[in-house]
Amino acid sequence: MLKSELKRSVQARSNGTRHAHGMTMRVAFQGDRGAYAESAISEIWRHPVEQVPVPTFTGALRAVDEGDVDACVIPVENSIVGRVEAGWHALAAYPGMRVVGEAFVPVCHCLLAPKGATLQGLVTASSHPVALAQCGRFFESHPWIKPSKSFDTGGAARDIAERGDPTHGAIASRAAAQLYGLTVLEEGVQDRRDNHTRFVAVVPQKSRLWRRTHAIRGAISIEENHPDHIAEATRELLERIVERNWLEIEEVVSVLFTVTPDLSAAFPALAAREMGWVDVPLLCASEIPVPGSLPRCLRILVQVELRAPRPLDTHVYLRDAVALRPDVTDRAHS
């Protein structure tokens, strides 16, 4: 797929979710909407991302290598058929990639068909070759239904929905049936109930996204030296940092609070504890009393270790503290 075609695909076929400030994590996968790879993406990245369908495994990796997407997921192993050779071959063709995460996705294959179709009336069932190989017993017990190779499970479901031929079915997920308006004729047609596929997430080694540890700065001014005002400002700043960076509390390693010497009515860490940050190491300290510095200012340093790679909106400056970093404030609201 050419770069221009992939970029049109991103715009036309992505799920449209965007970061509150315009940052978007773009993740490619082989296949079409309704593919199991979408579940892998959702498991690895719990914050909203653009899911970009690409026809081939190599195409997904090429998109990452050329910078058209930030990352991709590739299936590498299935509990029934073993190694997914096409996935490994694609990864071998791009040695400059770094594995940054993995997901074990339960695979429950369903026999899908257009509305009005019957099991006895089907003559073919199409799907990805690896998916077909996971359903050998079904085809043995239904010899009148012939397996037909397709480039993807979700793509197979889409194709039979577009054809509308009641004699042609597809093997895909229940989510694909709902997405394309198909009927589930039979569920769990894979050979084993504990069927699952392992996906790996990859980014370029040259990308900063492989880094898991980051430090996020922030600051906020406080109206007066009063416990309620200090607590309110602390909550506002922490909540904004979490919101902008899609942080989960488990990703926060530690937090350092500093206040100017004119703020002594309460520890900012107390407000963090009341928010539920009880397992996060917190430390409060006093700022150096530099003449002419911003009065009644609370500063913060949040150390995080991300469970999945993603771009961060990072530093947050609020109220009068925006004057400390106007460059950050302008970028955040652009």
Side-chain angles (χ1 to χ4, degrees):
M1 180 180 289
L2 298 176
K3 273 193 176 183
S4 59
E5 294 173 338
L6 178 59
K7 289 176 181 177
R8 287 195 296 270
S9 175
V10 171
Q11 296 170 355
R13 301 168 69 185
S14 70
N15 62 15
T17 53
R18 302 191 66 82
H19 189 281
H21 296 278
M23 274 196 323
T24 304
M25 180 81 179
R26 298 168 296 164
V27 183
F29 66 95
Q30 184 274 329
D32 214 325
R33 294 295 175 204
Y36 290 101
E38 288 188 312
S39 297
I41 293 174
S42 298
E43 184 175 331
I44 296 170
W45 288 277
R46 295 176 184 173
H47 66 291
V49 300
E50 287 190 0
Q51 299 184 358
V52 183
V54 178
T56 65
F57 296 133
T58 301
L61 285 156
R62 183 185 306 118
V64 177
D65 185 60
E66 295 181 354
D68 291 315
V69 298
D70 301 300
C72 71
V73 295
I74 300 292
V76 295
E77 186 178 11
N78 176 262
S79 58
I80 294 178
V81 301
R83 285 168 56 96
V84 180
E85 295 296 343
W88 283 108
H89 290 160
L91 288 169
Y94 286 89
M97 296 291 164
R98 183 189 295 263
V99 174
V100 293
E102 66 177 12
F104 290 83
V105 177
V107 176
C108 180
H109 290 310
C110 299
L111 180 63
L112 314 181
K115 293 181 179 179
T118 65
L119 184 63
Q120 294 297 327
L122 289 184
V123 296
T124 66
S126 59
S127 194
H128 189 278
V130 174
L132 295 175
Q134 298 166 24
C135 304
R137 294 178 184 173
F138 171 80
F139 288 109
E140 289 177 3
S141 59
H142 301 77
W144 65 92
I145 303 176
K146 304 300 181 184
S148 176
K149 294 181 180 180
S150 179
F151 78 99
D152 173 61
T153 56
R158 184 202 63 203
D159 289 344
I160 67 163
E162 292 176 350
R163 293 173 64 179
D165 187 338
T167 65
H168 294 282
I171 290 177
S173 66
R174 178 172 285 276
Q178 297 172 348
L179 181 63
Y180 297 113
L182 298 170
T183 298
V184 177
L185 296 181
E186 195 163 333
E187 188 169 9
V189 298
Q190 70 275 3
D191 293 345
R192 285 168 40 185
R193 290 187 177 182
D194 62 345
N195 187 27
H196 64 265
T197 296
R198 181 167 72 95
F199 289 82
V200 295
V202 299
V203 300
Q205 290 190 11
K206 60 186 178 183
S207 168
R208 289 173 55 88
L209 287 177
W210 64 266
R211 292 184 54 205
R212 294 295 182 90
T213 57
H214 299 266
I216 301 172
R217 283 296 311 273
I220 188 170
S221 60
I222 298 174
E223 293 182 9
E224 61 179 275
N225 184 27
H226 188 279
D228 291 345
H229 288 270
I230 293 174
E232 178 188 1
T234 301
R235 287 193 295 268
E236 181 180 350
L237 184 56
L238 287 176
E239 289 171 356
R240 192 68 65 85
I241 287 174
V242 168
E243 175 192 2
R244 286 188 178 176
N245 294 284
W246 298 101
L247 292 180
E248 301 174 27
I249 189 64
E250 295 80 5
E251 295 177 313
V252 179
V253 176
S254 64
V255 182
L256 172 63
F257 299 96
T258 65
V259 293
T260 47
D262 48 13
L263 293 174
S264 58
F267 291 109
L270 177 60
R273 295 282 186 232
E274 293 172 347
M275 292 173 62
W277 295 43
V278 294
D279 295 324
V280 179
L282 308 175
L283 180 65
C284 298
S286 179
E287 287 279 347
I288 301 173
V290 177
S293 60
L294 182 69
R296 297 184 304 281
C297 182
L298 164 66
R299 292 176 172 85
I300 191 171
L301 178 66
V302 182
Q303 295 177 304
V304 299
E305 184 170 353
L306 304 181
R307 63 177 300 276
R310 60 183 184 269
L312 297 178
D313 201 17
T314 61
H315 313 307
V316 177
Y317 289 78
L318 304 174
R319 301 183 186 177
D320 293 343
V322 298
L324 300 174
R325 289 292 302 274
D327 56 322
V328 172
T329 304
D330 291 341
R331 184 173 70 248
H333 292 85
S334 61

